[in-house]
Amino acid sequence: MATVVERERTFSGDEGFRLPDLTGCGGVVTMSDATASELDAVYWDTDDLRLLRSAHALRRRTGGHDAGWHLKVGAVGGARVEHQFPAGAADAGPPAELVALIRGASRGRPVAPAARIVNHRRERRLLDADGRVLAEVAEDDVRSEDLVDGTARTWHEIEVELVDGDEELLDAVSARLAGAGAREVSVSKSHRAVAGRLARFDDRAPTGPAGPVVGYARKQRDAIVGNHAAAYQGDADAVHDMRVAIRRLRATLRTFRGLWDRRESEAVRGELRRLGGDLGGVRDVQVLTARLAAAVHELPDELVLGPVAARVGERFAADLAGSTTALRAALDDDSHPDLLTRLDRLLDGPTAEVNRRWVDRRVRRAVRRADERLDRALADRGPAGDTALHEARNKYKAARYAVEVRVPDAGKPAARLVKRLKTLQNLLGTHQDSVVTREALRRHALRAYAEGENTFTYGLLHARQAEAAGHDLPAVQRALDRARRPGVRRWLKP
């Protein structure tokens, strides 16, 4: 399976639209002659179009240079990840490898042909002075058919996809196309093909005092689904983003738990915690591997005694393989789509009637509890001090997420507090990283000693981590003072 990231913009042109000369846009010197191709794609989806509604598009396409099965993840107009898989001569459905990647978006439900799109394409390349391809511009004459209700549509579309170019090139080309009468569109061909059926689903943003809370929670659910495919494959960024979305969602369900049925929301939080643990197993190894590799690399050669880097790499590689296997098993399990279905019912269903004061009171409480926890941790630097600081960090995460809920309405004051809390959270995180790294170094040193290897470098690295941790605490106190300034928190007062 091949995975690529595509950055493109899509435009609609009226009948009679003519593609303008695009030379001079962002370093474009030459515009190649057009090459024509016939593309025929069948898009697959659940009966309630859950893939499209989750910014996923699954198709089997013939024609063109990349014929086969494609899964696109991401909204039109931004960077989209495309997973490509060869097609068989008589495929009865998408390959199992792709089905595994859509289990989150499909909620585990079967997919079937939803739309057919036939496309006459004329494609040109935009080249710079060295002959480097900066972008590809495709003019498409599109015919679509909804394979469920039979609706047929035709339209003319222009796609601009970056190759070696940048966003400035896209901006310049977009302006040139707009000047020629093209209009940028924010929906895909598959959306247009089944627009009638999509309109039946109410995916509107929530309103009322609870609207910002519910909208924030839905955004985290969508991030979990959107990162499923890449996290399943072990992509570090996707694992991190999916884990953070789970943290945000768990914190939101707890901070504002009176909005939803208490028993169900707590049960969902428990399931999210387990999934977060599986993601953490992968992410923690990824972070620790990079941290230790950098620490060893920074040492002078004469202070690296023995095969330290090789041993660390070997042991973490085994840990990463095991945790990745465990994560995939969790995402393959039927409990994962069941969890997302329960989330849908919770977040898309009715909430308790509350007012703005109810929401603000819970935001203030989350911030106050974080302050109290950190005050106790800084005052007591006994044997449990590191654990107390880590617990305070978790409280500040919850506080930051609660304040983020209010940013759309409160604006800059809330955004300023979010920034201060994030700085504080990051400093506490750096301290916790040193704690975890020291424990890992201790374990590696014991194993190296048992195997008859020199343990000097492990001890040196441990001492450096301990020294760095001591430097963190004054910075934590300064960041706390800045986060508590009256001008930063005044908007929180009732």
Side-chain angles (χ1 to χ4, degrees), residues 78-94:
R80 306 178 77 193
V81 178
E82 181 175 311
H83 307 273
Q84 303 172 345
F85 198 85
D91 290 335

Side-chain angles (χ1 to χ4, degrees), residues 112-134:
R116 182 186 181 195
I117 295 177
V118 179
N119 182 10
H120 174 68
R121 168 164 290 184
R122 299 177 300 282
E123 195 167 44
R124 293 174 172 84
R125 295 177 297 164
L126 306 182
L127 301 94
D128 65 9
D130 297 324
R132 197 166 50 112
V133 179
L134 301 178

Side-chain angles (χ1 to χ4, degrees), residues 352-363:
E353 292 290 334
V354 298
N355 55 32
R356 176 59 57 77
R357 292 182 62 188
W358 185 93
V359 174
D360 287 349
R361 190 161 55 245
R362 276 144 187 82
V363 175

Side-chain angles (χ1 to χ4, degrees), residues 379-452:
D380 180 13
R381 294 301 297 137
D386 290 334
T387 299
L389 286 171
H390 181 53
E391 291 173 351
R393 179 196 179 202
N394 289 336
K395 288 294 183 181
Y396 272 112
K397 286 179 182 177
R400 173 188 158 200
Y401 302 152
V403 176
E404 285 178 346
V405 168
R406 291 286 283 111
V407 169
D409 292 329
K412 288 184 179 180
R416 189 180 303 116
L417 180 56
V418 167
K419 185 176 180 179
R420 299 285 175 89
L421 294 179
K422 184 176 182 180
T423 298
L424 185 56
Q425 172 194 321
N426 287 342
L427 287 168
L428 291 168
T430 299
H431 181 85
Q432 176 64 13
D433 286 345
S434 75
V435 173
V436 174
T437 303
R438 276 179 277 158
E439 175 57 25
L441 285 166
R442 189 187 70 84
R443 293 196 308 269
H444 283 299
L446 289 172
R447 186 168 178 178
Y449 178 80
E451 295 175 357

